[in-house]
Every structure is written in structure tokens, then in C-alpha cells.
Amino acid sequence: MRERFQDLKPLLDIGSDGVRMIGILGMGGCGKTTLASSVYMDISKHFQGHCFIENVREKTRWYGLKSVQKEILTALFKKKTEAIRYDGYSYDHDHDHSSHFSEIVSKMKKLRLLSKAVCCDSDANASGPNFLSNELRYIHWESYPASPFPQSFQLMKLVVLKLWGSMQKEVWKGYKQLPCLKVLQLKYMWELLNTPDLEGLHRLQKLTLSSCKELEEIHQSLGNHKYLEYVSVSECPKLRMFPDIIHMENLKTLEIKDCFLKDGEIPSGIGELSNLEELSLCGNDFSRLDFHISQLTRLKVLNLSNCVKLLELPELPSNSSILKADYCNSLTTVGDCHINCRQLCNVSLMGGGIINDGGKLLQSMLKGNVIDNGPILLRLKGLDVLKEFTPLLRGRRCRLQLPENWGNDHCGFLICAVLPNYFHWGDPERIIIRHVTSGMDFEDDVVWEESDGDGDKHTFVYYISFASMRDAIWWGKTYKALEFNIEDYRCCGFGVRLVSKRSRNAQTETSTYSSGYTSRLEIVDNLESALTVSLSFDDKLP
């Protein structure tokens, strides 16, 4: 064993940069673990943090890799770090749990990680900690008392600060240096009137303000942050104006949701955020955007849902992938929002006004660059798209007669389903495709009529490319007819047609920028006689 130890130790090259991995091979019982343990005991003194984990393969197999990661982190924290975490639910009003927790925290002089995630009512009379460690890197404190942070708390090493349900009226006074803070999250701050001065947060990357019902003003210093990548402001009904954000050149995600902002109150500087990828302005009261977003060439996701006064959609940038404008009651047209967009693959205009020009939107999507691989989804209230399908059949099944050379002259199937207003459109759709043998007739098919079904009608259109099905056992270009079934029993009208290559190649342009968004088509059942596919469309980027 000693000889093996002496051979192994130099291979580790202690003191060199980077990571070194050494494998010890041998039959069971030959002393591999003993050798590794001996080396660990000898070299651990050279490292600030260290731990020895046995039986990694078995633990990973039975409990998963995360359990091993947790064991490593727990061991490291116990050796070098003070940490406290309290999770639970407290409705015991006879005991002041918040003050007791503050007393415990006040005694931890080297505390680096603090997490208090407990559901309880904020007590205005509860006392906060009289001391917080200046070594703190992470704070997540739910129901922090109304008292301010201790004056001795410098926050100089703090990286993450999350305050939920606090009764504080201000987080800190005036200018404060937090040179390491990257994440600031303020949620359910019932008494917060203004955000703190953010000027000293030079490395701030992510800011979240949510359900701050009394918040009236966001400090103007927000607009000076060049490192911010994510800003989310939601459910702050008293917020009337947003600071100038024109200098936030690295911002990728901006959400201003459910704040009921009116015309002129949405920051016009959004149109200058050249790196913006996701923009959500849902739940506001503006009728139109008074700035242009068409020049935001990296914008992929636009969400305007629940803007009940919205009259028109803005012109989309060329690389937009996702457009959502659900429950926009005043919206009845898509206009020319899509005219220059060549990456659009997921559009949802559900639950609001009846869209009377959905057909031209569908045609524009089919001429885009994403059609080669697909899939594509269009969801909207109204029946204008149905003229693309002749005939549409009653029920949730239809058959498609295939022309000669269909697999070479066409690029995919376009599937249409009519569904009621109460349909839950977040669920993946499953569609079964079967080969129809010769001799089967189509006489039992009944043409769908607008009177079929109950309530408001919504149209769902799915595009499935041939390329996405070429690896299926079922796939074959020699078929003469196919039968399609949608599994949702609420479907009252159903139709399928082929998409011609010639009709879309004439206007397709080559894109120099990838949208980064990919819809998912999963082959659930891959049989010789039938193919079942599941279509799912996220409203966020991966």
C-alpha cells in the first residue's frame, strides 16, 4: 500500500492550477478505497475546503446525482462556513418565532448563508436582528421585521439579497456600496414606497420587484446599470412612471407586468435596448406602444397578454419567435406586425377580441425560415384561418388523400382544430397519424359547420415538418392516404392539408441570426402502422 501511495501522490501535482482527476482501477476488495482515503488524509491540509465521498456510483444510482452534490456542499459548509436555514409554516401567534430567529442570527458572527423561508404573518412589533455578519454572501429572509438592518451590517460581501413579505418601508437609506451584489429580489414588501438608491450596486445583474402594493417610484439610478441582464417589475399598481433605461445596454429580459401603466407611461427607452431578447408588458392599460421595437434585432419573445385596451400590435423585429397577446379584448386585427418577421413559430391571440385577419398571419409564418424543421403553432380567437382548409370536418378525425410525389413536392402537414373557449391551451397536444389502406372510402365524413360546438370558437393551427418525422418507422412517401386524429375530445372541427415547397420557397430569405427558440415535437409512439406525436410550445426561451 505504501508503495502505491508513493506512486499516486506525485500524479496529483498539488499546487498546480486547474483540476486533476486520477482514476484508480482494480478488482473489488483490492484496496482502492483505502488508497484513496489515505491520499485524501495526506493532501487535505492543502485545501480550504475538502470532503471524502464513498460509494459515489451506488449513491448516484439510488438517490441521484443531486444527493451527492448536496452531501459535498453540506460537508464543505460544516467545515468552513456558518449557515442557517429555516423552512416551514408558522401560524403559532403565541410565540414570537421571528424575534427568536433574529436572536439566533445575531449570535452567529461568521454567518455566510442565511435562508428563512417560512410562511407566517409579518408582525409589526417583532424585533429584527441587532447584528448581522459582514461575512454574509446570501440572504433570503421571508417576513423580515419592520426594523432596518443593523447599522454595523456593511453588506460588502453580499451577493444575493431576497426579501419577501417584509414590513420595511425602505431597504436602506441613501447611497450604499454593495460591490458584490448580483441579485436583488423584493417581493410582497407591503409598506415599501420607493426602491433604494441602486447607484452603488455596480455588479447587479438581476432585479425583481413583485407585489409591492404601495411602491410609487423606482429610483432613477436603475437606468445607469450597464451589467443588468434581467429586470422584472410586476403587480405594483401604484407605480406610475419608470426611470429612463436607455443606458442598460446588456439587458436581455425586461418584464413590466400587471402595473396598469397607461399610454405614455411605458419607458420609451425600451426601443434602444439593442440586446433585449424577452419583453413582457402584459397586464397594463396602454392602447398602443409609442416607440418602435422593430429595430431590436435580438428580441425573440414579446408578451402583451391581458392588455385589455390594446388596439394594435407593434411591428415585430425580423428574428422574433414568440408573440403572445391573449385576453386583449380590444384587439381584432394583427395588422402588419409580422410583415418583416422570418422566425415566427409560436403565436397566441386567445381569449380576447375576434381576430379577423388570422389567415394572412398564417401565410406569413409559413413563408418563414423555421418551417424546414418546425413545428409551428398559431392560436387565436375566431375562424378566419379556416378558409385555408377545405373542407373542415366535424369531430376530431379526418383523412387526407395524397397526390403523387407528395413527399418531394411538399414540406409538411398543416393541421387545424376548432376548440371551445374553455380549452386549457397550455397542455401538449397529441396527434395520431395512420396509414389508410386502399379501398377505404371517405363517405362517412361530415363537413364542419360554424354552428357546431358551444361557446366562442378558437382556432388552433399546427405545422409538422416532414423533416421532424423522417426517423420514424412509420414514415413512407409511398402512402396514398393518411388518417389524422387529435386526442382532445373537445375538438369540434378538424382538418389537414399539405404545405407546398414551391409556395414558400419563393419568398423565403436567408437569415443570418438564429432565434434560439425551438418548439418541441416528441414522437410518443413509433409504430409501423401509426405515429403518435406530442406538440408542446413554451412561452420562454430555453
Side-chain angles (χ1 to χ4, degrees):
M1 179 65 70
R2 185 173 185 82
E3 183 178 342
R4 292 178 180 175
F5 177 88
Q6 295 299 333
D7 291 339
L8 178 59
K9 187 176 178 182
L11 298 177
L12 295 171
D13 197 13
I14 304 300
S16 63
D17 294 332
V19 176
R20 183 63 58 94
M21 181 179 292
I22 304 295
I24 304 175
L25 305 178
M27 298 177 60
C30 69
K32 299 187 298 295
T33 302
T34 303
L35 176 59
S37 178
S38 299
V39 173
Y40 167 77
M41 295 297 293
D42 183 75
I43 68 173
S44 59
K45 61 179 177 290
H46 297 290
F47 299 89
Q48 290 184 349
H50 52 84
C51 64
F52 185 81
I53 306 297
E54 298 185 59
N55 303 318
V56 173
R57 180 186 298 176
E58 289 77 8
K59 290 180 180 179
T60 303
R61 181 186 301 160
W62 291 104
Y63 306 109
L65 186 59
K66 287 187 177 180
S67 68
V68 178
Q69 294 172 335
K70 184 177 180 180
E71 185 175 348
I72 295 172
L73 292 174
T74 301
L76 292 176
F77 271 124
K78 285 182 178 180
K79 292 178 184 295
K80 289 293 180 182
T81 304
E82 281 197 44
I84 183 169
R85 178 170 181 171
Y86 176 34
D87 298 324
Y89 296 84
S90 176
Y91 299 102
D92 184 358
H93 296 286
D94 295 329
H95 297 85
D96 187 355
H97 295 280
S98 182
S99 296
H100 182 60
F101 183 79
S102 295
E103 291 176 6
I104 296 173
V105 169
S106 299
K107 298 176 181 178
M108 304 181 74
K109 305 304 181 184
K110 296 181 180 180
L111 187 63
R112 300 179 70 178
L113 185 150
L114 188 160
S115 178
K116 178 179 178 285
V118 56
C119 180
C120 62
D121 296 331
S122 298
D123 186 355
N125 297 318
S127 57
N130 55 43
F131 174 84
L132 281 175
S133 168
N134 288 331
E135 298 296 318
L136 273 164
R137 269 69 165 175
Y138 179 97
I139 297 177
H140 177 192
W141 196 316
E142 296 189 19
S143 302
Y144 188 90
S147 58
F149 290 131
Q151 290 187 356
S152 61
F153 184 36
Q154 298 301 311
L155 295 89
M156 296 296 289
K157 297 181 180 180
L158 195 63
V159 178
V160 176
L161 176 59
K162 298 180 180 181
L163 296 176
W164 293 14
S166 169
M167 298 298 290
Q168 289 177 308
K169 293 184 178 180
E170 57 183 2
V171 182
W172 61 75
K173 291 184 178 181
Y175 177 85
K176 206 171 190 68
Q177 278 276 9
L178 284 83
C180 297
L181 193 70
K182 294 183 178 181
V183 178
L184 177 60
Q185 192 176 96
L186 306 177
K187 290 187 175 184
Y188 312 106
M189 303 282 285
W190 312 120
E191 302 294 329
L192 188 68
L193 299 176
N194 305 293
T195 65
D197 186 342
L198 306 172
E199 191 71 35
L201 285 61
H202 301 299
R203 295 189 180 181
L204 188 63
Q205 296 177 1
K206 188 172 182 178
L207 173 66
T208 303
L209 304 171
S210 178
S211 301
C212 300
K213 303 299 184 182
E214 300 298 322
L215 182 67
E216 298 176 354
E217 181 183 357
I218 297 176
H219 199 275
Q220 293 296 320
S221 59
L222 173 66
N224 299 327
H225 281 275
K226 296 184 178 181
Y227 292 103
L228 263 173
E229 297 181 359
Y230 175 94
V231 173
S232 177
V233 181
S234 62
E235 298 185 45
C236 299
K238 292 190 176 181
L239 181 67
R240 292 274 57 87
M241 293 296 291
F242 219 82
D244 186 3
I245 59 175
I246 193 171
H247 299 297
M248 298 167 65
E249 56 192 39
N250 285 312
L251 193 64
K252 294 180 180 179
T253 300
L254 176 61
E255 299 178 343
I256 308 175
K257 304 186 300 185
D258 301 312
C259 294
F260 309 106
L261 297 180
K262 299 177 174 58
D263 288 326
E265 295 179 345
I266 299 291
S268 59
I270 292 175
E272 305 296 326
L273 301 176
S274 59
N275 285 306
L276 196 65
E277 296 182 357
E278 299 186 45
L279 174 62
S280 176
L281 300 174
C282 56
N284 287 296
D285 286 339
F286 56 84
S287 61
R288 53 179 52 84
L289 296 179
D290 54 3
F291 54 87
H292 297 289
I293 63 170
S294 56
Q295 69 269 30
L296 301 181
T297 57
R298 294 186 176 273
L299 188 69
K300 306 167 190 177
V301 180
L302 177 63
N303 191 345
L304 300 173
S305 296
N306 296 293
C307 293
V308 296
K309 297 181 181 179
L310 184 68
L311 297 173
E312 64 181 21
L313 295 170
E315 182 182 338
L316 296 174
S318 58
N319 291 305
S320 291
S321 299
I322 306 169
L323 170 63
K324 286 196 67 179
D326 296 328
Y327 300 105
C328 295
N329 297 341
S330 303
L331 189 67
T332 59
T333 176
V334 296
D336 294 325
C337 73
H338 51 83
I339 193 168
N340 294 316
C341 192
R342 289 293 174 263
Q343 302 288 349
L344 205 56
C345 58
N346 185 352
V347 177
S348 183
L349 306 171
M350 305 291 290
I354 295 176
I355 304 300
N356 54 38
D357 54 355
K360 71 174 185 178
L361 172 59
L362 175 60
Q363 287 302 315
S364 178
M365 295 174 71
L366 292 176
K367 293 172 182 175
N369 294 321
V370 296
I371 195 171
D372 289 329
N373 297 308
I376 288 175
L377 171 64
L378 172 62
R379 306 174 283 191
L380 71 166
K381 184 176 180 180
L383 305 174
D384 179 71
V385 174
L386 300 186
K387 60 189 178 185
E388 302 289 332
F389 298 85
T390 304
L392 195 73
L393 300 181
R394 181 183 297 171
R396 50 194 180 95
R397 177 184 62 85
C398 73
R399 295 168 187 165
L400 179 65
Q401 197 75 44
L402 299 172
E404 290 186 11
N405 209 32
W406 62 274
N408 296 321
D409 294 340
H410 300 82
C411 55
F413 299 115
L414 196 64
I415 303 170
C416 177
V418 180
L419 296 161
N421 188 36
Y422 53 81
F423 177 74
H424 182 63
W425 44 80
D427 293 337
E429 243 353 309
R430 289 165 67 103
I431 296 172
I432 303 171
I433 309 173
R434 293 186 179 91
H435 173 217
V436 178
T437 58
S438 59
M440 294 184 66
D441 59 53
F442 292 68
E443 294 181 357
D444 56 340
D445 292 336
V446 179
V447 175
W448 178 85
E449 297 181 2
E450 192 169 338
S451 58
D452 293 337
D454 298 326
D456 294 333
K457 307 294 193 307
H458 288 75
T459 305
F460 278 56
V461 180
Y462 309 91
Y463 169 77
I464 303 176
S465 69
F466 292 165
S468 63
M469 298 183 289
R470 282 186 180 135
D471 293 333
I473 299 173
W474 165 89
W475 177 256
K477 295 182 180 180
T478 60
Y479 296 150
K480 301 297 183 182
L482 296 173
E483 180 181 89
F484 293 76
N485 281 73
I486 186 169
E487 288 194 343
D488 195 300
Y489 69 92
R490 292 165 290 191
C491 177
C492 61
F494 194 56
V496 181
R497 73 170 177 85
L498 292 165
V499 177
S500 171
K501 287 182 178 179
R502 293 189 299 273
S503 65
R504 51 93 43 180
N505 283 342
Q507 299 190 37
T508 299
E509 301 174 0
T510 301
S511 175
T512 59
Y513 179 72
S514 174
S515 72
Y517 172 82
T518 304
S519 309
R520 291 196 300 274
L521 182 144
E522 179 185 359
I523 297 178
V524 181
D525 292 319
N526 187 8
L527 307 174
E528 291 187 10
S529 59
L531 178 71
T532 302
V533 297
S534 175
L535 293 168
S536 61
F537 296 82
D538 292 334
D539 297 323
K540 289 283 187 178
L541 294 173

